[in-house]
Amino acid sequence: GAVVSQHPSWVICKSGTSVKIECRSLDFQATTMFWYRQFPKQSLMLMATSNEGSKATYEQGVEKDKFLINHASLTLSTLTVTSAHPEDSSFYICSARLTGQETQYFGPGTRLLVL
Amino acid sequence: TQLLEQSPQFLSIQEGENLTVYCNSSSVFSSLQWYRQEPGEGPVLLVTVVTGGEVKKLKRLTFQFGDARKDSSLHITAAQPGDTGLYLCAGRRYLDDMRFGAGTRLTVKP
């Protein structure tokens, strides 16, 4: 149980285009989902917290107009990187927390390369 | 400044050796998780500890949560090459989100 999927697993796009990444909790409902970014050989940095039915809460330094988050249902959150630039190239990982529990379960990650 | 300080940052040992990874903070956590991450994959949960002083064992891995819930340790006995990976501790403060330590990159040589 507690499986989180992400789609796509990797994406290559041109600079200036937008990319949408989906995060789904497959066998549980998650009122809260999280988006992280991880650069090579570094740890995970929290970008934003996504609550179902409400606006996402962004960490300091993360542009909300550039990284659009939508959490429309209890099993799906999306992250859209708008007007992507090469410096946005990174490994994006989502996680979901079971309602009322402490543990977060992570998706397999999406590797984004912006040319 | 990281909320959670992990040490060591890098560790390279021979198969069969024991090792301990530490995760320290000045903050109190409602829970702390340990994850293992392989290159190109998401972190995989190893354990969640919630009670001060709690000790959990997972085969050759022993996890301990400090009495004050500010620190934790991961001890691996008789390490194997399959244990190679990035070990991450992550803590959640009350009504707050989970934050990660910088990670410990472990290499176990055959």
Side-chain angles (χ1 to χ4, degrees), chain B residues 45-56:
Chain B
L45 178 69
L46 296 175
V47 77
T48 299
V49 287
V50 296
T51 305
E54 183 176 5
V55 177
K56 283 191 174 180

Side-chain angles (χ1 to χ4, degrees), chain A residues 34 36 38 41 43-44 46 49 59 91 93 97 101-108 111, chain B residues 30-31 33 35 37 40-43 45 48 86 88 92 97-102 105:
Chain A
F34 306 87
Y36 293 82
Q38 186 178 33
K41 300 190 185 301
S43 188
L44 283 73
L46 180 65
T49 301
E59 293 299 298
F91 193 48
I93 308 174
R97 187 167 67 207
Q101 294 195 17
E102 294 283 336
T103 301
Q104 286 179 212
Y105 296 91
F106 285 81
R111 186 161 300 282
Chain B
S30 59
S31 68
Q33 285 82 37
Y35 294 85
Q37 186 181 25
E41 299 179 10
L45 178 69
T48 299
L86 177 66
L88 296 159
R92 182 174 180 229
D97 301 314
M98 185 182 296
R99 307 294 166 142
F100 280 82
R105 196 166 296 278

Side-chain angles (χ1 to χ4, degrees), chain A residues 41-100:
Chain A
K41 300 190 185 301
Q42 294 187 20
S43 188
L44 283 73
M45 297 301 295
L46 180 65
M47 298 175 66
T49 301
S50 167
N51 292 297
E52 187 266 337
S54 64
K55 291 183 178 180
T57 302
Y58 290 81
E59 293 299 298
Q60 193 172 8
V62 179
E63 299 174 56
K64 62 179 181 180
D65 294 331
K66 180 169 183 61
F67 298 99
L68 301 178
I69 292 174
N70 187 306
H71 192 162
S73 77
L74 288 172
T75 59
L76 173 64
S77 177
T78 61
L79 168 68
T80 301
V81 182
T82 63
S83 187
H85 288 101
E87 57 265 32
D88 298 324
S89 299
S90 188
F91 193 48
Y92 291 87
I93 308 174
C94 74
S95 71
R97 187 167 67 207
L98 280 75
T99 304

Side-chain angles (χ1 to χ4, degrees), chain B residues 5 18 30 33 47 54 58-59 72 77 79 81 88 103 107:
Chain B
E5 297 290 338
N18 302 331
S30 59
Q33 285 82 37
V47 77
E54 183 176 5
L58 183 64
K59 295 184 180 178
S72 181
T77 304
L88 296 159
T107 302

Side-chain angles (χ1 to χ4, degrees), chain B:
Chain B
T1 305
Q2 294 251 200
L3 181 63
L4 283 161
E5 297 290 338
Q6 262 188 261
S7 62
Q9 191 174 356
F10 298 96
L11 189 57
S12 181
I13 61 173
Q14 291 296 135
E15 182 176 4
E17 293 183 4
N18 302 331
L19 67 114
T20 302
V21 177
Y22 299 93
C23 182
N24 297 305
S25 177
S26 58
S27 296
V28 176
F29 296 100
S30 59
S31 68
L32 195 140
Q33 285 82 37
W34 284 92
Y35 294 85
R36 180 165 160 252
Q37 186 181 25
E38 302 278 0
E41 299 179 10
V44 175
L45 178 69
L46 296 175
V47 77
T48 299
V49 287
V50 296
T51 305
E54 183 176 5
V55 177
K56 283 191 174 180
K57 291 193 173 185
L58 183 64
K59 295 184 180 178
R60 294 177 293 101
L61 279 61
T62 302
F63 306 86
Q64 187 164 9
F65 200 15
D67 291 340
R69 288 182 294 169
K70 293 182 178 181
D71 52 80
S72 181
S73 64
L74 158 61
H75 182 79
I76 301 179
T77 304
Q80 299 176 1
D83 295 328
T84 294
L86 177 66
Y87 289 82
L88 296 159
C89 69
R92 182 174 180 229
R93 294 181 295 184
Y94 294 104
L95 303 180
D96 199 0
D97 301 314
M98 185 182 296
R99 307 294 166 142
F100 280 82
T104 294
R105 196 166 296 278
L106 171 66
T107 302
V108 182
K109 302 174 185 176

